[in-house]
Amino acid sequence: MRLVFLGPPGAGKGTQATRLANELGIPHISTGEILRAAIARSTPTGIEAKAYVDGGELVPFAIVLRLVEDRLQEDDARDGWLLDGFPRNLEQAHALEPLIEKLGQNLDHVVFFEVSDDEVVRRLSGRRVCKTCSETFHLEFSPPPDPQDCAPRQCEIFQRSDDSEDSIRNRLEVYSRETDPLVGHYQESGLLVTVSGSGPIDEVESALREALGHRR
Ligand code: AMP
């Protein structure tokens, strides 16, 4: 199966994508994760992307397209993939189409996770991530065992640099200007599946399974 996950920052795309990709045995390809890893390793791409990611701006098209192009050609992506965070605007969506056509593939569904702005701000401002195992916590809803570290694994908890108040506000603006038009775009092409992302994780997962189950 080949899927795109769409939705505002903090909609829970990453969490649901990890679960579903595991279940389906396909790679979860998160452009945000790839960029954060490049930034952490200070690769040339990471150095170029850092200011955009920190400020909640979209990283230039050519950089992101190259990352996706390379990743989709890896062996583990031959029989399916789940793209999380790409495409993020119409330009990227138009570039994805010939790319997957060239690979002799096609997109099965685009899942749109619907969540209100208030819920997004609440989720993102309390989000904390473990540096070592990438597990995500929330100060209010699923607090780490200790605010400073997720003992007993001795991991280090941090707040993503783009989860600051200013950056969250900017990411929401960028989302509504750039990414939201993709909902109409994929609706028109008949690929869109809408799932409410506002409940607890397990509830959203059930809604997602049900929505895709009807279309598999
Ligand atoms: P995410 O983890 O999906 O929230 O992405 C974090 C940040 O990475 C975004 O705010 C952008 O700065 C950058 N990013 C991720 N995916 C893309 C994309 N498809 N196009 C441009 N920038 C992206």
Side-chain angles (χ1 to χ4, degrees):
M1 176 139 24
R2 295 181 183 88
L3 300 163
V4 162
F5 274 15
L6 195 64
K13 300 186 295 296
T15 304
Q16 297 299 334
T18 304
R19 291 183 175 204
L20 184 64
N22 253 334
E23 189 189 319
L24 298 176
I26 55 176
H28 166 201
I29 303 175
S30 157
T31 42
E33 277 293 324
I34 296 172
L35 289 165
R36 280 187 290 281
I39 292 169
R41 292 199 315 272
S42 293
T43 64
T45 298
I47 291 166
E48 216 176 330
K50 185 173 172 22
Y52 297 97
V53 173
D54 285 351
E57 293 293 335
L58 293 190
V59 170
F61 174 64
I63 296 179
V64 180
L65 184 63
R66 197 181 55 234
L67 291 179
V68 172
E69 208 166 3
D70 290 349
R71 186 63 187 86
L72 289 185
Q73 291 184 64
E74 284 181 34
D75 277 353
D76 66 341
R78 225 182 8 229
D79 299 326
W81 37 257
L82 195 168
L83 271 177
D84 160 18
F86 184 96
R88 240 175 167 95
N89 59 18
L90 284 168
E91 185 182 35
Q92 294 182 4
H94 291 315
L96 180 63
E97 283 153 27
L99 176 59
I100 57 182
E101 204 172 300
K102 194 176 80 187
L103 294 169
Q105 303 176 348
N106 61 288
L107 183 56
D108 294 301
H109 309 295
V110 174
V111 181
F112 169 49
F113 292 89
E114 208 169 19
V115 186
S116 71
D117 278 7
D118 284 352
E119 180 67 15
V120 163
V121 172
R122 228 154 51 99
R123 287 184 183 183
L124 292 183
S125 52
R127 178 162 71 180
R128 298 293 183 273
V129 185
C130 170
K131 224 171 228 173
T132 320
C133 63
S134 292
E135 190 163 342
T136 302
F137 299 96
H138 190 282
L139 293 181
E140 192 185 334
F141 313 127
S142 54
D146 181 292
Q148 294 311 310
D149 64 27
C150 62
R153 282 160 296 164
Q154 313 279 300
C155 299
E156 201 187 332
I157 297 295
F158 76 110
Q159 182 174 30
R160 272 173 48 172
S161 53
D162 59 347
D163 280 345
S164 67
E165 208 183 310
D166 279 355
S167 186
I168 292 172
R169 206 171 305 119
N170 196 37
R171 284 158 73 200
L172 280 173
E173 273 172 34
V174 170
Y175 175 78
S176 73
R177 189 179 64 237
E178 300 274 343
T179 314
D180 198 47
L182 290 181
V183 175
H185 173 75
Y186 286 120
Q187 180 108 56
E188 269 170 35
S189 54
L191 292 173
L192 197 77
V193 178
T194 302
V195 170
S196 168
S198 55
I201 293 171
D202 289 345
E203 223 170 76
V204 177
E205 188 181 8
S206 304
L208 172 62
R209 275 166 192 270
E210 200 185 340
L212 288 180
H214 289 313
R215 294 176 148 242
R216 260 187 234 182

